[in-house]
């Protein structure tokens, strides 16, 4: 059974985040309902303490990132005053101190969060932030492609589309062809280009 595209893209983004920043731990997940997500993917973690952790908008660093729709960071999670501390036990079990959280935003809606972390209390620099934002954009683009494919499939099932619907299909086709080279998963990219070729 094929893995969901979202899981593949999230894992690839976390791996890139670690490689480009040198951060020892990266993790994240996608929202499954408004303002709520579970941490589904871990890279570099030494325990399973973070896996499945349910994050709510406004709670902890990731929840703050969801609520504000922008990247957030703390130099020392344990003593940070500008976040709530519902997730302290899991963060401490993994030994994390400096943490950043970057939202994955698609059409102004937060759809997930990528985290990067250090096991020491050191400031996270601008280059690291930029790399984390770039990784989040990669996931965003994959979600845009997935959403467009679903929309096109639903349009193709509608009875005899009129001229306006065909124009929308042409525009979506053009957008999908432009987005395809940015899809990390080679199999998905080839499948997407094959569908565009029809």
């Amino acid at each position: 059974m094929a893995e969901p595209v979202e899981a593949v893209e999230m894992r690839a983004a976390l791996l890139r985040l670690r490689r480009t920043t040198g951060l020892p731990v990266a993790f994240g997940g996608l929202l499954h309902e408004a303002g709520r997500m579970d941490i589904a993917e871990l890279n570099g973690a030494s325990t399973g303490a973070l896996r499945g952790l349910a994050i709510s908008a406004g709670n902890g660093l990731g929840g703050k990132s969801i609520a504000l729709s922008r990247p957030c960071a703390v130099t020392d999670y344990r003593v940070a005053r500008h976040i709530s501390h519902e997730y302290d036990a899991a963060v401490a079990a993994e030994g994390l101190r400096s943490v950043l959280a970057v939202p994955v935003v698609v059409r102004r809606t937060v759809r997930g969060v990528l985290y990067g972390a250090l096991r020491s209390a050191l400031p996270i620099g601008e280059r690291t932030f930029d790399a984390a934002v770039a990784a989040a954009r990669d996931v965003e683009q994959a979600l845009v492609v997935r959403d467009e494919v679903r929309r096109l499939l639903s349009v193709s099932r509608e009875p005899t589309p009129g001229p306006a619907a065909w124009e929308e299909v042409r525009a979506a086709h053009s957008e999908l062809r432009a987005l395809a080279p940015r899809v990390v998963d080679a199999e998905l990219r080839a499948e997407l280009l094959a569908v565009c070729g029809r």
Side-chain angles (χ1 to χ4, degrees):
M1 184 171 167
E3 278 190 282
V5 172
E6 300 86 3
V8 172
E9 289 295 333
M10 182 64 77
R11 267 200 301 282
L14 295 175
L15 182 59
R16 274 191 309 281
L17 177 60
R18 283 191 63 211
R19 284 183 179 159
T20 58
T21 64
L23 291 172
V25 182
F27 50 101
L30 296 174
L31 275 70
H32 51 83
E33 57 185 77
R36 191 169 149 73
M37 69 166 239
D38 294 334
I39 295 175
E41 300 296 332
L42 305 170
N43 191 299
S46 56
T47 73
L50 299 169
R51 185 172 304 283
L53 198 61
I55 308 297
S56 297
N59 294 343
L61 186 66
K64 181 175 183 177
S65 183
I66 292 168
L68 298 176
S69 295
R70 66 177 175 83
C72 299
V74 293
T75 301
D76 192 344
Y77 194 96
R78 289 186 258 185
V79 297
R81 292 184 190 164
H82 60 283
I83 61 169
S84 62
H85 288 273
E86 292 84 356
Y87 312 112
D88 283 2
V91 172
E94 186 58 44
L96 304 180
R97 301 286 297 276
S98 291
V99 183
L100 66 83
V102 179
V104 174
V105 182
V106 177
R107 294 183 178 105
R108 298 188 197 122
T109 301
V110 176
R111 300 271 298 271
V113 178
L114 299 181
Y115 297 84
L118 294 166
R119 290 191 168 92
S120 53
L122 298 170
I124 295 175
E126 192 173 325
R127 278 188 180 164
T128 301
F129 263 99
D130 291 345
V133 168
R137 283 196 184 121
D138 291 343
V139 177
E140 169 197 334
Q141 292 303 316
L143 293 175
V144 167
V145 169
R146 184 194 71 178
D147 292 351
E148 280 300 308
V149 167
R150 284 183 177 161
R151 190 181 68 75
L152 279 175
L153 287 173
S154 72
V155 167
S156 71
R157 292 182 186 121
E158 292 176 6
T160 329
W166 281 116
E167 192 54 41
E168 196 171 331
V169 169
R170 284 186 197 93
H173 174 264
S174 176
E175 287 179 45
L176 288 171
R177 286 195 67 83
L179 289 171
R182 296 191 224 166
V183 174
V184 175
D185 184 273
E187 188 177 311
L188 174 62
R189 184 176 48 251
E191 188 176 332
L192 178 62
L193 288 171
V195 170
C196 287
R198 295 192 315 207

